[in-house]
């Protein structure tokens, strides 16, 4: 007798469930319900339709219901919403939004993949107005585009600086709109650390998007929004992208347990509190790979793997459920950013001791015409040296380096093991000592206490306190621009100028990207200096870190002139 | 008392030794001898000067001796060749090629990094003629370029199709020369498998380079070379790039042991048979990570790590010597290729049971304008599923996927562990189920015996034997071009046409890139067909595999028309 499989939701998780069931069971009757007009669309690509990078909105649809039927014998029903689950009878109540009629379907096994819904705070005046949009589905982006065209919109406010908000803002800007991003926190891209994010802020600013931080929308009007600070921002359309919340309406109504984070609670096999009902994707709560605690994670990759694992369990297969580490990436104008694992904020919250290496090598052999700086932060546990996270920003191939670290994390690698890591090398792709190798060696030196360092975040304080800062670059570099108060003692001269370097106070050394300063720090250590610190990231890192807020807050810069070369 | 450190060779290995010694020991006296005019040049970037991608040959020099001195107090002596080691006295005899004088230097510790020398078979008539070049050093490329200009060279023969030979050929072609590659084996890029290499062959052909395989140069004349086959190839200049041999002259003269492969023998710590003498880089023999056997490996990355490890041992630090896996990459016109670990040929030679997954997914979300096919082969040990190698070719980011696999290999990952691998995803960089994830799942299915497959290399035989081949693509795709004799039963129709699929004979199924055929294979398996095979790589893989030799050998194609879309 064939098994009857019902699936709620037809995007990443749901479509993956359907395809996997079919591959394991040719006889199963498979019905996939989607309340919206489309199944199997690329929700992550939606923002790129705004600029025309993805030309037609229909291109976002990966597979039509007719193809699900003809190729996979999967009955994909769009505009059909499951509105109730009757667990005792093992049936669902479905509302067909096209006919207005309701009907019942029975199931042997039910998979829930309802996704998440955009958060729209009802205390914001005007939040339900027709010129307020979210960006979750194909109709969402179609709605925004037709509205902006019909109403001759010039200014758009994007509320929320997560990855989707940033992509929406970039694509609106490219499409010719004046764009303001409004973010309530002190930084965009919450999965990355504050220090790294400043580099992206500069790119956002450079491309003419206004970025407002630490402020929130309280009121949406026809042609402007009002912020908590009282500031008014011109906007004839608003895109809300402050986050999502698991879609649990149906699960709650059916009496299924929710977890501590508000997502549907699932066991090791993605079964809900009813073993005949599985749940996957953005609606469930995941387990963190590192802390074993529950967390929300709305990513397409994990959703697909959960779908496969759930179906595999239903068909008697075992599955290693490792939990999620959280890997993501984003492109914003000329910069790429990617991260994996836990960041400093999360590590502090979890009470895990850590340290990090921050390096800025070139992403290719420096003499190649398109070699670029790659800002790379490698986070490891202390004292184990276990790899626990990484963040990268640059014009080049940042995702590659983060994927290497993600792999190392999931295989429980530590710094010592990665010391011999043999990556591919040719001058177009990397350097013989690639970014990752470089960061691992610096990390080991830190773990082994071979030198001391201060992060870029502390340099302003050092300058203000008139600390002894040595600039180890050559005189011509110093002349162009330098950290205020820094003494220029080039690496090429310091051995003859040791009398200028005091032994009785902390000394902080930097150069352009820390290569020269590191060598000076090591040498001074050998020469009996015990209070020598390398300034992480050096001039380049400090400049990138300080620039945005100097401009934004009209603050006195701690460098004489900015120089990002 | 300060240590006196001498170093023979001033490129990758030697310069790394010098820099590492200085970081660990500010007092050491460090002298680095280089017989040529330059230390610390990017030998891997040399071919790119031919086309002008690296504009000036001087750009290839990473650091001048004066800078070694001023910044690192390292005495880098160019044109100074160490011609003898006196181990009892711990001295070396040095010849200064500029003054013609010789002198003696004593050492406490000696590091050898003499590199490798190009193989120039003396049985080739004319091999020592002035229009025969190798491509190892900056003077080599300067010599070639000034010769071709001065002698109005139009045609160049590149002998040897390794990575360097290919890069030289590409850059000569881009510089406007007519180029012929002559390779004695049946394939270029020996580190990759024959099936993968065919894809590169097509790119070489497409760009107007003549590629001659299974033939060798026997005679070099002023305006042509003569091959073993009797064929004559027009060439007013010849670049020899058939391989290298470890430079062991000095070591042999000093009575140091050589290993089985002809390289300098070293222990776990890179010490030679004399514990006061270390050796690193292309001159030594390495240990294979997988087989623990000795091998030659001439790569810059391992050389740098060996340098660090040797110095670390000298300074009392421990180092995990994992052996080498062999990771490399190359760009050739619009195609990128990369590989890591062992290939099929090496596995057969080593007697290791293996299998592989061959997949051709898109490297990004398919609807993104620059999404490209990525040809990916993942090799794993049987029965453990331990990851043992991978090869990738495509226009996009192949090195990223290979670096992920290299990391998995070095952390002893297996397929089961990689099932949950959580890589970064956004539509510009990858897909939610990335190439690597995809290959891992296919690999697991193969390991678990979930379906049977035939490789692209066997399809010609199937066609010639009139095997039952099903083309699972749609009718319009089949109409454009198909494998000769294949029956078109689209995935969207096969459930109604089961009577056309015989149960009493093997049936081979393909589509465009195996996604649809795989689904049909699984379904047929569930429907009681026991002799069903998926054709690895499907139409796309078969076309790429067959094309080059069809044209080269003027062979009857097994497809009606080539189609590489």
């Amino acid at each position: 007798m064939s098994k009857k499989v019902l699936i709620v939701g037809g995007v990443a998780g749901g479509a993956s469930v359907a395809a996997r069931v079919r591959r394991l069971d040719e006889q199963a009757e498979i019905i996939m319900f989607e309340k919206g007009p489309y199944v199997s669309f690329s929700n992550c690509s939606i923002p790129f339709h705004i600029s025309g990078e993805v030309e037609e909105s229909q291109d976002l649809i990966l597979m039509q219901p007719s193809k699900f039927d003809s190729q996979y014998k999967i009955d994909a029903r769009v505009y059909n919403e499951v509105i109730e689950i009757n667990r005792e009878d093992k049936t669902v109540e479905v509302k067909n939004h096209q006919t207005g009629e309701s009907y019942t379907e029975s199931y042997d096994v039910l998979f829930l993949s309802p996704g998440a819904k955009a958060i729209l705070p009802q205390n914001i005046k005007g939040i339900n107005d027709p010129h307020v949009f979210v960006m979750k589905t194909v109709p969402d982006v179609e709605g925004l585009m037709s509205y902006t065209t019909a109403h001759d919109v010039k200014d758009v406010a994007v509320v929320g600086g997560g990855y989707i908000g940033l992509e929406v803002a970039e694509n609106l800007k490219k499409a010719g709109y004046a764009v303001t991003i409004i973010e309530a926190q002190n930084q965009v891209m919450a999965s990355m650390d504050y220090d790294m994010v400043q580099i992206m802020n500069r790119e956002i600013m450079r491309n003419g998007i206004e970025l407002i931080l630490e402020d929130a929308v309280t009121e949406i009007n026809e042609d402007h929004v009002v912020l908590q600070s009282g500031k008014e921002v011109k906007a004839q359309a608003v895109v809300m992208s402050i986050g999502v919340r698991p879609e649990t309406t149906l699960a709650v109504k059916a009496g299924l347990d929710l977890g501590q984070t508000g997502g549907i609670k699932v066991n090791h096999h993605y079964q809900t509190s009813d073993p005949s009902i599985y749940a996957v994707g953005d609606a469930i709560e995941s387990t963190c790979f590192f802390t074993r605690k529950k967390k929300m994670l709305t990513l397409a990759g994990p959703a697909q793997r959960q779908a496969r694992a759930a179906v595999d369990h239903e068909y008697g297969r075992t599955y290693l459920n490792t939990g999620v580490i959280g890997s993501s990436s984003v492109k914003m104008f000329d910069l790429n950013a990617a991260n994996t694992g836990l960041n400093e904020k999360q590590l502090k919250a979890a009470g895990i001791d850590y340290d990090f290496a921050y390096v800025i090598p070139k992403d290719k052999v420096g003499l190649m015409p398109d070699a670029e700086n790659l800002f790379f932060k490698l986070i490891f546990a202390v004292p184990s040296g276990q790899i626990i996270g990484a963040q990268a920003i640059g014009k080049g191939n940042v995702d590659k380096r983060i994927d290497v670290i993600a792999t190392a994390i999931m295989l429980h690698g530590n710094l010592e093991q990665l010391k011999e890591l043999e990556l591919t090398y040719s001058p177009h792709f990397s350097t013989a000592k690639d970014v990752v190798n470089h960061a691992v060696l610096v990390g080991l030196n830190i773990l082994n206490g071979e030198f001391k360092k201060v992060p870029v975040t502390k340099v302003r304080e050092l300058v203000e306190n008139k600390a002894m800062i040595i600039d180890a670059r050559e005189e011509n570099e110093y002349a162009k621009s330098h950290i205020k108060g820094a003494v220029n003692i080039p690496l090429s001269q310091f051995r003859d100028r040791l009398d200028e370097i005091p032994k009785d106070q902390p000394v902080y050394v930097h150069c352009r990207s820390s290569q020269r300063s590191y060598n000076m720090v090591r040498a001074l250590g050998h020469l009996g200096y015990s209070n020598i610190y390398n300034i992480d990231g050096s001039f380049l890192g400090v400049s990138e870190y300080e620039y945005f807020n100097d401009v934004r807050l009209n603050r006195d810069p701690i460098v004489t002139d900015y120089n990002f070369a």
Side-chain angles (χ1 to χ4, degrees), chain A:
Chain A
M1 213 197 61
S2 73
K3 191 178 288 211
K4 188 165 175 188
V5 178
L6 302 189
I7 301 162
V8 176
V11 195
S16 298
V17 165
R20 182 67 181 160
V21 170
R22 178 55 72 229
R23 285 201 299 277
L24 296 187
D25 185 354
E26 176 63 14
Q27 311 295 351
E29 182 183 355
I30 306 171
I31 309 173
M32 181 165 77
F33 301 99
E34 170 58 47
K35 65 180 174 188
Y38 304 112
V39 287
S40 189
F41 58 87
S42 175
N43 34 14
C44 300
S45 304
I46 285 171
F48 312 125
H49 174 53
I50 298 171
S51 64
E53 186 175 0
V54 174
E55 268 182 56
E56 303 293 332
S57 65
Q58 289 302 306
D59 293 343
L60 296 164
I61 318 297
L62 305 175
M63 191 141 76
Q64 298 292 346
S66 57
K67 202 166 160 187
F68 270 98
D69 178 41
S70 65
Q71 297 205 340
Y72 303 107
K73 231 176 55 185
I74 291 164
D75 185 356
R77 300 185 187 168
V78 295
Y79 292 118
N80 275 248
E81 183 177 4
V82 173
I83 50 172
E84 209 172 313
I85 303 168
N86 191 327
R87 287 164 50 193
E88 266 175 42
D89 297 355
K90 285 191 154 186
T91 60
V92 298
E93 199 66 19
V94 187
K95 172 133 193 187
N96 181 329
H97 288 294
Q98 281 179 308
T99 64
E101 284 166 11
S102 291
Y103 61 97
T104 302
E105 285 284 356
S106 67
Y107 63 82
D108 294 308
V109 57
L110 174 64
F111 291 87
L112 302 180
S113 182
K117 57 189 167 199
I119 296 172
L120 292 173
Q122 292 302 312
N123 60 344
I124 300 176
K125 180 178 162 283
I127 190 77
N128 301 318
D129 284 0
H131 67 305
V132 180
F133 300 87
V134 298
M135 209 44 56
K136 293 276 298 167
T137 65
V138 177
D140 287 343
V141 70
E142 289 171 337
L144 172 69
M145 298 321 289
S146 62
Y147 183 92
T148 55
T149 310
H151 295 80
D152 199 23
V153 167
K154 299 259 184 299
D155 309 273
V156 185
V158 176
V159 185
Y163 281 172
I164 305 290
L166 292 185
E167 287 173 343
V168 167
E170 178 196 12
N171 283 279
L172 282 166
K173 183 70 198 176
K174 284 182 174 168
Y177 298 95
V179 181
T180 305
I181 299 172
I182 301 154
E183 166 60 51
Q185 302 299 312
N186 69 347
Q187 67 166 84
V188 296
M189 302 199 298
S191 61
M192 296 188 77
D193 282 317
Y194 183 81
D195 51 354
M196 297 298 286
V197 167
Q198 304 313 308
I199 304 164
M200 190 57 89
N201 287 349
R202 187 165 78 84
E203 184 70 1
I204 294 168
M205 182 188 281
R206 194 178 71 81
N207 283 282
I209 289 178
E210 201 185 344
L211 173 56
I212 297 175
L213 298 174
E214 298 175 271
D215 211 343
V217 175
T218 55
E219 199 179 306
I220 299 173
N221 297 296
E222 205 180 326
D223 62 350
H224 71 283
V225 300
V226 180
L227 308 187
Q228 207 155 32
S229 62
K231 194 184 280 186
E232 296 192 358
V233 173
K234 221 159 110 179
Q236 301 91 47
V238 176
V239 179
M240 291 297 298
S241 187
I242 60 171
V244 294
R245 169 177 300 146
E247 177 51 87
T248 55
T249 319
L250 189 62
V252 168
K253 214 166 150 190
L256 298 175
D257 291 350
L258 296 190
Q260 330 155 9
T261 61
I264 301 172
K265 186 175 181 166
V266 293
N267 69 8
H268 182 87
H269 310 297
Y270 302 101
Q271 284 168 305
T272 66
S273 47
D274 180 335
S276 297
I277 305 177
Y278 293 84
V280 301
D282 294 357
I284 70 166
E285 64 176 15
S286 303
T287 305
C288 173
F289 176 92
F290 305 97
T291 62
R292 317 314 304 168
K293 291 197 176 144
K294 299 304 172 191
K295 69 191 282 185
M296 299 302 305
L297 187 77
T298 55
L299 293 172
Q304 288 196 6
R305 282 188 292 281
Q306 291 156 7
R308 186 182 174 98
V311 176
D312 279 9
H313 179 259
E314 175 63 21
Y315 283 91
R317 286 147 200 254
T318 58
Y319 204 99
L320 191 70
N321 186 332
T322 58
V324 292
I325 61 174
S327 302
S328 54
S329 53
V330 70
K331 179 186 162 301
M332 186 80 180
F333 299 105
D334 291 345
L335 279 189
N336 303 319
N339 65 278
T340 187
L342 300 183
N343 60 31
E344 287 198 68
K345 203 185 283 182
Q346 293 164 326
L347 285 161
K348 279 174 188 150
I352 295 173
D353 280 351
Y354 70 90
D355 207 334
F356 64 88
Y358 178 44
V359 296
I360 316 174
K362 293 286 180 189
D363 57 2
K364 304 183 185 66
V365 173
L367 56 91
M368 298 304 289
D370 59 347
E372 298 283 356
N373 296 324
L374 200 153
F375 296 81
F376 192 78
K377 183 171 181 176
L378 176 65
I379 305 176
F380 49 89
V382 173
S384 68
Q386 200 86 16
I387 309 297
I388 208 161
Q391 299 165 39
I393 297 190
K395 292 184 180 170
N397 203 332
V398 304
D399 51 317
K400 165 162 100 165
R401 278 71 184 203
I402 295 300
D403 279 353
V404 164
I405 298 300
T407 308
I409 286 173
M410 298 206 73
L411 293 171
H412 306 278
N414 61 45
L415 289 170
E416 194 62 37
Q417 290 170 312
L418 292 187
K419 211 163 146 185
E420 285 273 275
L421 185 60
E422 193 183 327
L423 303 171
T424 66
Y425 160 56
S426 88
H428 286 101
F429 302 122
S430 54
T431 59
K433 187 197 285 175
D434 185 59
V435 177
V436 172
N437 301 114
H438 186 136
V440 164
L441 294 177
V442 172
L444 268 172
N445 285 335
I446 292 166
L447 189 66
N448 293 331
E450 303 234 10
F451 73 102
K452 292 187 281 192
K453 56 161 188 161
V454 284
V456 285
T457 51
K458 297 286 179 208
V459 176
R460 176 168 286 274
E461 196 182 310
L462 294 180
V463 172
E464 284 167 358
N465 292 338
K466 303 199 184 312
M468 172 72 186
I469 297 176
I470 295 178
D471 184 334
R473 298 177 302 163
E474 293 301 309
E475 283 157 5
N476 61 329
E477 297 172 87
Y478 181 87
K480 265 188 228 151
S481 165
H482 57 264
I483 292 176
K484 289 175 182 169
V487 181
N488 185 212
I489 307 181
L491 178 64
S492 59
Q493 299 177 14
F494 87 99
R495 290 181 177 89
D496 300 324
R497 293 172 61 182
L498 289 175
D499 54 336
E500 297 174 46
I501 306 173
K503 277 197 172 169
D504 56 353
Q505 70 178 93
V507 174
Y508 303 90
V509 189
H510 78 85
C511 58
R512 180 186 155 280
S513 72
S514 279
Q515 206 196 338
R516 284 169 285 178
S517 62
Y518 173 63
N519 278 281
M520 193 189 287
V521 164
R522 294 303 296 262
L524 289 172
H526 295 307
L527 292 168
Y529 287 78
S530 59
N531 223 349
I532 302 290
Y533 295 82
N534 188 52
I535 295 179
D536 252 10
S538 280
F539 192 74
L540 202 51
V542 170
S543 297
E544 290 281 354
Y545 178 72
E546 293 283 328
Y547 181 79
F548 172 78
N549 280 317
D550 281 358
V551 175
R552 177 173 81 105
L553 307 172
N554 197 18
R555 197 168 68 176
D556 189 22
I558 59 168
V559 299
T560 58
D561 195 4
Y562 280 103
N563 184 353
F564 303 106

